[in-house]
Amino acid sequence: KTRATTNSNHDHPVAPNLLDRQFDVQHPNKAWVMDITYLATSEGWLYLAVVLDLYSRMVVGWSISKRMTKELVINALETAIKKRNPAPGLICHSDRGSQYCSNAYWDLLQKHGFLCSMSRKGECQDNACAETFFHSLKVEWIYGEPLKSRYQMKQEVREYIEVFYNRQRLHSNNGYLSPCNFERVNQSSFLLSA
């Protein structure tokens, strides 16, 4: 079974593709990508929204819910903002789903001076880094396991993101360092060169 997570049949405004597949970012908090996926449980669907910093591929914000609403993506973004405190000018890239086109989402971006960027219609490669993260989560952690309750699935997602993915999982993009270690090493380099 699959679930659609992008409903682009709406009358809300759509942003241009400012990111334009420029996934190699040289500094943290310059470009974030975000997306939603579905997770099957023994009690029905759960929806996971994530925010990744393209600099290190770290998941800087996430939210999980039984419903795929604008609050789901707003909660993920607000978590990332509290954690990272990015400066105005940050590019926030997503698909054209109704959640990301909602007035509340756009208001949050405007409040912080962030730039809204959206994938072109039907071009999943425009948000390839978020799609890759979801693939890794499902293949490495969830597929092949018995269906869990919603509560158990939330705990599994938390463990994957906070314990394994951000702190232990090696990334070729990071010179085979985890996102946390990549940022730690490079923060030291920035401080030494300043």
Side-chain angles (χ1 to χ4, degrees), residues 6-27:
T6 303
N7 173 15
S8 54
N9 295 324
H10 52 73
D11 296 327
H12 296 291
V14 173
N17 186 354
L18 301 177
L19 187 62
D20 196 26
R21 299 189 188 183
Q22 301 300 309
F23 301 133
D24 291 325
V25 176
Q26 302 305 310
H27 297 283

Side-chain angles (χ1 to χ4, degrees), residues 24-167:
D24 291 325
V25 176
Q26 302 305 310
H27 297 283
N29 303 322
K30 296 298 181 187
W32 290 354
V33 295
M34 47 204 75
D35 203 355
I36 303 170
T37 195
Y38 56 86
L39 302 168
T41 77
S42 60
E43 299 172 331
W45 297 105
L46 276 177
Y47 298 95
L48 171 66
V50 297
V51 181
L52 283 88
D53 191 326
L54 284 178
Y55 170 66
S56 63
R57 305 304 199 261
M58 183 182 291
V59 177
V60 293
W62 62 279
S63 180
I64 195 164
S65 174
K66 291 190 287 187
R67 297 180 59 229
M68 191 171 51
T69 62
K70 64 187 175 197
E71 288 78 20
L72 176 69
V73 301
I74 289 169
N75 289 341
L77 182 55
E78 285 178 335
T79 300
I81 292 167
K82 286 177 190 166
K83 185 186 251 184
R84 304 285 277 204
N85 193 28
L90 166 70
I91 294 175
C92 291
H93 183 82
S94 69
D95 62 26
R96 297 174 170 215
S98 58
Q99 300 85 356
Y100 295 108
C101 292
S102 69
N103 291 334
Y105 175 79
W106 282 66
D107 289 348
L108 180 59
L109 296 185
Q110 189 172 33
K111 174 184 171 184
H112 292 279
F114 300 160
L115 305 175
C116 190
S117 173
M118 292 184 178
S119 300
R120 293 164 292 182
K121 192 169 186 177
E123 291 287 339
C124 63
Q125 289 301 312
D126 286 351
N127 205 4
C129 295
E131 300 286 350
T132 299
F133 168 78
F134 289 142
H135 176 77
S136 298
L137 165 68
K138 292 176 180 180
V139 169
E140 296 173 356
W141 212 255
I142 294 172
Y143 286 167
E145 294 291 319
L147 280 182
K148 300 175 179 353
S149 69
R150 284 190 172 116
Y151 174 79
Q152 290 170 320
M153 182 63 78
K154 288 178 185 179
Q155 297 306 109
E156 289 288 327
V157 168
R158 178 182 307 281
E159 185 174 345
Y160 181 79
I161 292 173
E162 302 295 346
V163 176
F164 178 69
Y165 181 85
N166 279 345
R167 289 177 172 77

